[in-house]
């Protein structure tokens, strides 16, 4: 218990430090007069097209995430796409408002109707997140190679990329074996078999989760591209467009809280895109807009879905 409390403390301290650093850098890096003077350069028709495209990707992103959770929840019991969608909204809400607690775990816990299934909440949550990180890496690695590796040294780097890609996919499809390894050795004297579901997800389920989350990842990048197109239609070129998934992959490996995620993303965009353009302020603004729709709006919507019994259960579990 003491070890777990120390780990939670240092995890929270790290996130707080990153948020504090982001605030300082944001204040130093952003020219607020320049930001206030920004104008939308797209025509009215292009602005409407970008808006419609953005909202369609927003809906597609939520639908794909619901499909992902439907697959993960199917490890224990089948749910409809609508049920998975509502489960996700509640999990978003709890992750958004509980920075010092694992709010999403509480949301996933509530989704389990049977008591014995609630022991598997951590395992389900793991499989809700692991494919997201691996899908971002699987898309981000090749695009990083395209954007940042000069033509003169591409042969050697291509071999390295192929090996890294093979290791990445091998690790992903063997994750269940790694967890079983820890179970056999009873790490930290915990009976992990109580929390695992042996043999699941299946190979096909893992592949499905990887592909669905890769599409979600591209939705984020597409939304950011549409916001940038609305701000300045002449801004994006092929290299900048390819760099968007690389940027989102980097943001995925930085620990933070959902409610403050836009600060870290905005600061990272200022430094990352400064290597590629002198209009990095537009990328910071676009990343904040994408965060608002994909994180804040679903989370705030999910808050309205809780009934009194669920809120009572959350309070009991927290205590």
């Amino acid at each position: 218990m003491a070890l777990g409390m120390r780990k939670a403390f240092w995890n929270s301290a790290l996130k707080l430090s990153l948020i504090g650093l982001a605030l300082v850098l944001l204040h130093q890096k952003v020219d607020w007069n320049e930001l206030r003077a920004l104008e939308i350069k797209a025509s009215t028709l292009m602005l409407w097209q970008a808006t419609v495209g953005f909202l369609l990707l927003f809906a597609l992103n939520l639908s794909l995430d619901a499909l992902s959770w439907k697959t993960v929840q199917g490890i224990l019991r089948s749910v409809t796409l609508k049920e998975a969608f509502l489960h996700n909204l509640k999990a978003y809400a709890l992750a958004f408002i509980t920075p010092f607690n694992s709010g999403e775990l509480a949301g996933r816990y509530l989704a389990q109707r049977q008591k014995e299934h609630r022991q598997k909440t951590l395992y389900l949550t793991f499989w809700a997140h692991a494919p997201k990180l691996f899908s971002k890496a699987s898309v981000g690695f090749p695009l990083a190679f395209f954007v940042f590796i000069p033509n003169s040294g591409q042969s050697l780097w291509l071999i390295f990329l192929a090996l890294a890609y093979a290791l990445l996919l091998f690790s992903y499809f063997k994750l269940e074996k790694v967890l079983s390894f820890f179970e056999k050795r009873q790490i930290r004297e915990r009976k992990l078999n109580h929390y695992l579901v042996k043999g699941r997800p299946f190979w096909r389920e893992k592949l499905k989760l990887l592909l669905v989350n890769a599409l979600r990842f591209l939705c984020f990048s597409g939304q950011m591209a549409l916001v940038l197109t609305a701000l300045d239609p002449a801004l994006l070129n092929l290299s900048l467009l390819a760099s968007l998934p690389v940027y989102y992959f980097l943001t995925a490996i930085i620990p933070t809280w959902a409610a403050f995620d836009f600060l870290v993303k905005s600061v990272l965009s200022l430094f990352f895109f400064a290597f590629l353009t002198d209009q990095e302020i537009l990328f910071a603004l676009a990343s904040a807009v994408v965060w608002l729709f994909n994180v804040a709006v679903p989370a705030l919507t999910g808050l309205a879905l809780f009934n009194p019994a669920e809120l009572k259960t959350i309070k009991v579990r927290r205590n």
Side-chain angles (χ1 to χ4, degrees):
M1 181 65 72
L3 180 62
M5 291 179 65
R6 286 198 298 271
K7 183 178 178 181
F9 170 79
W10 287 114
N11 184 40
S12 298
L14 174 61
K15 292 179 179 179
L16 276 175
S17 300
L18 288 173
I19 292 169
L21 179 62
L23 285 170
V24 172
L25 293 175
L26 198 62
H27 177 73
Q28 294 178 346
K29 190 76 174 175
V30 174
D31 185 338
W32 300 102
N33 291 326
E34 178 187 357
L35 187 61
R36 283 191 289 268
L38 285 178
E39 295 181 1
I40 295 177
K41 297 181 180 179
S43 65
T44 302
L45 177 60
M46 185 174 291
L47 183 59
W48 274 106
Q49 290 173 337
T51 301
V52 171
F54 183 94
L55 293 176
L56 287 175
L57 288 177
F58 166 69
L60 179 60
N61 170 46
L62 292 179
S63 299
L64 288 172
D65 202 22
L67 179 60
S68 177
W69 176 246
K70 180 178 184 294
T71 303
V72 172
Q73 180 63 73
I75 293 174
L76 296 180
R77 66 179 180 89
S78 297
V79 294
T80 65
L81 192 63
K82 180 181 178 181
E83 286 178 303
F85 183 79
L86 295 177
H87 291 171
N88 277 349
L89 289 178
K90 293 178 180 180
Y92 300 155
L94 291 175
F96 193 81
I97 64 173
T98 55
F100 290 99
N101 298 292
S102 186
E104 183 181 355
L105 271 175
R108 302 304 184 192
Y109 178 89
L110 288 174
Q112 310 312 312
R113 294 176 180 174
Q114 299 180 33
K115 184 177 180 180
E116 60 270 21
H117 286 177
R118 291 183 173 178
Q119 287 186 320
K120 315 294 185 181
T121 300
L122 184 62
Y123 188 70
L124 296 185
T125 305
F126 171 82
W127 276 108
H129 283 274
K132 294 178 182 178
L133 183 59
F134 277 90
S135 66
K136 290 175 182 178
S138 64
V139 174
F141 279 177
L143 291 177
F145 172 84
F146 171 77
V147 174
F148 294 106
I149 303 302
N151 293 331
S152 58
Q154 281 193 354
S155 298
L156 183 60
W157 279 100
L158 189 59
I159 296 174
F160 172 77
L161 175 66
L163 292 174
Y165 209 73
L167 179 62
L168 177 76
L169 293 178
F170 177 81
S171 301
Y172 172 72
F173 284 102
K174 294 297 182 180
L175 279 176
E176 196 270 338
K177 297 293 185 183
V178 174
L179 293 175
S180 296
F181 171 83
F182 286 121
E183 177 204 345
K184 291 177 182 177
R185 280 152 182 79
Q186 295 295 306
I187 300 302
R188 290 167 59 184
E189 298 182 353
R190 290 188 179 185
K191 296 181 178 180
L192 295 180
N193 60 306
H194 292 169
Y195 303 95
L196 305 181
V197 182
K198 290 188 176 181
R200 301 292 299 272
F202 299 130
W203 187 89
R204 289 184 179 180
E205 291 172 327
K206 292 177 183 178
L207 180 61
K208 180 180 179 180
L209 288 170
L210 190 68
L211 294 176
V212 167
N213 282 286
L215 287 175
R216 283 195 68 230
F217 183 41
L218 293 175
C219 283
F220 291 135
S221 303
Q223 285 178 295
M224 190 170 184
L226 288 171
V227 175
L228 291 167
T229 300
L231 293 172
D232 186 354
L235 177 63
L236 288 179
N237 54 39
L238 187 58
S239 292
L240 281 173
L241 193 61
S243 70
L244 298 181
V246 181
Y247 158 72
Y248 273 113
F249 168 64
L250 293 176
T251 63
I253 60 178
I254 299 177
T256 184
W257 290 308
F260 300 100
D261 196 36
F262 72 99
L263 289 174
V264 176
K265 282 183 167 61
S266 297
V267 170
L268 180 61
S269 67
L270 291 173
F271 287 91
F272 178 81
F273 292 107
F275 292 102
L276 303 170
T277 179
D278 59 355
Q279 296 294 319
E280 64 270 18
I281 187 65
L282 296 182
F283 288 84
L285 182 60
S287 69
V289 173
V290 174
W291 171 88
L292 176 66
F293 277 85
N294 290 302
V295 178
V297 170
L300 295 175
T301 302
L303 286 174
L305 299 177
F306 287 102
N307 58 51
E310 289 174 325
L311 294 174
K312 183 178 179 181
T313 301
I314 294 171
K315 184 176 180 180
V316 169
R317 288 292 299 176
R318 184 182 61 187
N319 293 335

